[in-house]
Amino acid sequence: MCGITGYIGRDEALDRVLGGLQNLEYRGYDSAGVAVTEPADGDIAVYKRSGEVDQLLEAAPAESPSRCAIGHTRWSTHGPPTDANAHPHTDCAGRVAVVHNGIIENYERLQAELSEHTFTSDTDTEVIPHLLEDRLAAGDDPVAAVRAVSDRLEGSFAFCAIVEGFDGVVAVRNDSPLVLGHGEDGTYLASDVTAFLDRTRSVTYLENGDVAVLEDDVTLYRDGEAIEPAIETIEWDADAAEKGGYDHYMHKEIHEQPQALRQTISGRLEVDSGDVDLEVSFPTEHLNSIEEVQLVACGTSYYAGLYAARLLETLADVRASVTIASEYAFEGGRDPWRTLTIAVTQSGETADTLSAIRAADQAGARTMAVTNTLGSTVTREVDDSVFIRAGPEIGVAATKTFASQVATLALVAVHIGRRRGALSSGRASELLGNLRDVPGAVQQVLDAEPDVDAVAAEYADSDAFFFVGRAFAHPVALEGALKLKEISYDHAEGFAAGELKHGPLALVTDQTPVLATLTDGGDADKTYNNIKEVQARGAPVIAAASSSDDRQVNEHLSVPDVGLFEPLVANVYWQLFAYHVAADKGRPIDKPRNLAKSVTVE
Ligand code: M6R
């Protein structure tokens, strides 16, 4: 995801901020930039480039006398990774520079209001400097202007601004993290402590709504009142610091899911009306004539596709098929003009998936990508792209991208259902309300991690693990097993719960725990019949079950009430289970043997 850095103090600010950007490089980004306040005249100078921080280093001066600067690494969500779209963004006169993380949901509305201003990028961010320009012209000081602008923004964001003639940085936080670092040479500001941990370990975490003003001293405003910043000391070592205090990227990414999901749905759903805005332009006549939606994908993305196919059939009244991309062919009985083929791929570079979408395109089908990566190969080859906005995922095991893929595909299903007239606004509204509650529900699961850790420790040495589920819980069973096998190297299989008795039951013993998803959207009553079958063979049962469920199982992990998305939330328990089993066994969790993050061969 994007990274923010800032500095004001006795030392060279450009050097400090560029150093901070280099420290944030591990997070993944596609462009970078800095803005400095020139001490001689208070003017602002901006340097920015698409690509690596190294390219920015070539563009920026080798030295600068400035003592005040802000910087940014961008991971594109609105507009491709170009020099123009890189942060900082400025107002018309170049008197204000802004770096921003998160998404401004109402940016199009604000941009329409700012019709007198000249915009030079595709980003949502750029409304901020232009709004600040208006407030400053109306007589606000920089702090009042930032407050007023922040009040007008919808979504989750954090931004920092420097203003010509003002020797300081003003920053505000709303749902996207910001932290201050109190160094001996000056004050640092960043979206992540790793940016300045080589300079200071004394930090203050901003809370939502906080406004921080960095001048010679720091003033922190909470609810409009200046407060004393609470200072904490970071104890992590350098390696843990890079992972945000977690031992592994996978663990960090599991915990990033609430934020990733908020970004996925941000600005895209209208719960009251049941409408979805995906910024794609399917002609309605095409949607009305579609007979089949095909999903093509591999691995975890294939399981997200299975979840989505069921959503499409349930909500959009359209036949939906899912094919493992390496097995895809555009076969008989299909009319390409009445087919929409969706490539589901986190990286956008998976060779099997690219090959499948090319085959669909050649056959004449309309194509779409659901991906995490702006500018990836798949986005250049399809008719439409929808971005899942999960932020970069570094661990080989996909976690947050699965959650964001399912959430995005749910929006696609609601969009198609509404446009085809197959889904009432009331039902859509209910579903979107459930989807809006998913980030909070995932957080509740994450809060129960100590329980999962204990369960993992108890069962880690089992002979094998079987994951079962029905309906929307079936892909979750498959994904749960994949996660466990790839990072713990234990034998794990996922089954449709009803299939156990058709063969796999022969493998079930008292040494093979069965991990069952017993939630809404997972046909829990029928699944429980299958659970009785394994219990009769002595298998211990670990259930991720709806909170009200009181069926007899060995371990009960409670899933909050979010309708058809409960299996998606239950999946977080299986991610944590896999993580703790693998951690107990000392496996190299982020780089499991024989596997790669992006598979670019067929
Ligand atoms: O980048 P993609 O989503 O196309 O990757 C597809 C699979 O290789 C991927 O989902 C893989 O199964 C996961 N890394 C497993 O955790």
Side-chain angles (χ1 to χ4, degrees):
M1 290 191 217
C2 302
I4 286 177
T5 60
Y7 172 80
I8 182 165
R10 290 194 301 276
D11 286 331
E12 232 188 74
L14 181 61
D15 177 65
R16 291 285 180 270
V17 164
L18 287 170
L21 295 183
Q22 285 170 313
N23 291 340
L24 290 177
E25 283 190 293
Y26 76 96
R27 295 163 55 101
Y29 62 96
D30 49 40
S31 31
V34 290
V36 297
T37 309
E38 301 289 3
D41 47 15
D43 279 2
I44 290 171
V46 173
Y47 310 92
K48 53 189 195 174
R49 282 290 179 274
S50 60
E52 312 272 309
V53 172
D54 279 353
Q55 281 158 271
L56 174 64
L57 290 176
E58 282 171 26
E63 291 184 352
S64 158
S66 172
R67 301 283 174 253
C68 174
I70 53 176
H72 191 262
T73 49
R74 174 173 189 248
W75 195 79
S76 309
T77 59
H78 291 68
T82 60
D83 290 356
N85 287 336
H87 300 210
H89 289 285
T90 54
D91 64 329
C92 298
R95 293 187 57 234
V96 178
V98 168
V99 292
H100 154 238
N101 280 2
I103 290 171
I104 310 296
E105 292 183 5
N106 57 337
Y107 81 100
E108 283 169 326
R109 220 166 43 237
L110 294 169
Q111 212 171 27
E113 282 177 29
L114 294 161
S115 55
E116 306 285 295
H117 292 246
T118 306
F119 282 78
T120 56
S121 78
D122 310 314
T123 64
D124 52 340
T125 303
E126 203 187 337
V127 294
I128 303 174
H130 291 289
L131 288 169
L132 286 171
E133 182 178 15
D134 279 358
R135 294 304 318 172
L136 293 164
D140 280 1
D141 62 50
V143 180
V146 164
R147 271 220 191 86
V149 169
S150 166
D151 286 346
R152 301 218 47 209
L153 305 179
E154 291 170 15
S156 59
F157 58 84
F159 73 85
C160 308
I162 56 175
V163 175
E164 187 183 285
F166 172 72
D167 202 16
V169 179
V170 189
V172 61
R173 177 203 159 138
N174 182 42
D175 271 344
S176 282
L178 269 187
V179 57
L180 301 174
H182 308 280
E184 287 183 2
D185 56 307
T187 306
Y188 295 80
L189 172 75
S191 49
D192 185 327
V193 287
T194 44
F196 55 68
L197 217 50
D198 51 349
R199 301 285 173 187
T200 178
R201 290 177 171 265
S202 298
V203 306
T204 299
Y205 289 98
L206 267 59
E207 294 190 5
N208 276 343
D210 283 0
V211 176
V213 184
L214 284 64
E215 298 173 277
D216 287 341
D217 294 316
V218 180
T219 315
L220 185 60
Y221 294 98
R222 185 162 299 157
D223 301 323
E225 301 289 322
I227 59 158
E228 195 60 34
I231 297 179
E232 297 175 35
T233 305
I234 299 283
E235 308 286 357
W236 313 326
D237 62 18
D239 183 49
E242 190 164 274
K243 299 180 184 107
Y246 294 95
D247 285 344
H248 301 94
Y249 285 112
M250 181 192 179
H251 200 201
K252 174 172 176 272
E253 286 154 5
I254 290 172
H255 279 264
E256 283 174 347
Q257 285 176 111
Q259 174 69 9
L261 283 160
R262 277 188 199 105
Q263 292 205 170
T264 300
I265 62 177
S266 175
R268 289 175 161 174
L269 47 77
E270 284 282 342
V271 173
D272 291 346
S273 62
D275 287 330
V276 163
D277 179 7
L278 284 175
E279 296 166 7
V280 287
S281 52
F282 297 120
T284 300
E285 60 277 14
H286 183 256
L287 282 183
N288 285 338
S289 68
I290 281 177
E291 286 177 348
E292 183 183 8
V293 178
Q294 303 180 328
L295 296 121
V296 293
C298 307
T300 293
S301 298
Y302 171 72
Y303 300 143
L306 285 175
Y307 209 119
R310 194 172 275 267
L311 284 169
L312 280 158
E313 294 204 334
T314 311
L315 309 178
D317 190 28
V318 64
R319 180 152 43 95
S321 61
V322 201
T323 309
I324 292 174
S326 54
E327 292 294 317
Y328 178 82
F330 198 92
E331 284 160 334
R334 293 176 154 104
D335 178 351
W337 297 102
R338 293 174 190 278
T339 304
L340 169 67
T341 309
I342 303 178
V344 186
T345 166
Q346 181 280 129
S347 62
E349 303 293 350
T350 301
D352 290 328
T353 308
L354 290 172
S355 171
I357 203 77
R358 284 171 190 147
D361 182 50
Q362 270 163 21
R366 191 174 176 95
T367 57
M368 182 171 141
V370 171
T371 181
N372 200 24
T373 318
L374 249 77
S376 56
T377 304
V378 76
T379 63
R380 297 197 290 273
E381 303 205 7
V382 291
D383 296 316
D384 292 288
S385 296
V386 181
F387 297 96
I388 67 169
R389 301 173 177 167
E393 189 175 68
I394 294 164
V396 164
T399 51
K400 63 176 179 171
T401 53
F402 175 78
S404 289
Q405 281 172 334
V406 173
T408 307
L409 287 161
L411 293 172
V412 170
V414 171
H415 180 77
I416 295 178
R418 297 285 288 135
R419 294 279 295 277
R420 283 166 68 89
L423 184 63
S424 72
S425 67
R427 176 78 178 119
S429 172
E430 183 190 355
L431 282 157
L432 296 179
N434 288 148
L435 188 56
R436 186 187 51 193
D437 292 342
V438 167
V442 168
Q443 188 58 56
Q444 286 183 49
V445 169
L446 295 171
D447 293 344
E449 182 166 7
D451 300 343
V452 191
D453 188 5
V455 172
E458 184 168 348
Y459 295 96
D461 291 329
S462 302
D463 289 350
F465 301 82
F466 301 126
F467 290 75
V468 298
R470 287 171 180 256
F472 292 102
H474 175 220
V476 163
L478 300 173
E479 170 60 8
L482 176 65
K483 226 61 330 165
L484 183 59
K485 75 178 85 163
E486 72 178 321
I487 62 165
S488 76
Y489 312 154
D490 283 305
H491 179 216
E493 297 294 336
F495 299 111
E499 275 293 287
L500 280 175
K501 57 189 176 296
H502 298 290
L505 203 52
L507 297 171
V508 169
T509 71
D510 59 1
Q511 292 304 309
T512 60
V514 173
L515 295 95
T517 301
L518 292 168
T519 60
D520 262 22
D523 214 344
D525 289 340
K526 278 193 177 170
T527 304
Y528 191 61
N529 292 337
N530 309 119
I531 291 309
K532 298 303 279 177
E533 293 156 11
V534 302
Q535 285 177 325
R537 274 89 188 161
V541 173
I542 303 164
S546 301
S547 45
S548 56
D549 197 299
D550 59 358
R551 284 177 255 242
Q552 289 302 303
V553 290
N554 299 71
E555 314 288 345
H556 181 282
L557 302 167
S558 177
V559 178
D561 179 9
V562 283
L564 294 186
F565 301 106
E566 287 181 25
L568 179 64
V569 175
N571 184 56
V572 178
Y573 279 121
W574 304 145
Q575 293 171 344
L576 290 170
F577 181 81
Y579 175 78
H580 284 289
V581 169
D584 286 352
K585 295 183 176 182
R587 304 293 191 224
I589 289 176
D590 285 329
K591 290 186 181 161
R593 70 184 176 206
N594 307 335
L595 300 178
K597 184 66 183 163
S598 189
V599 185
T600 52
V601 289
E602 285 190 57

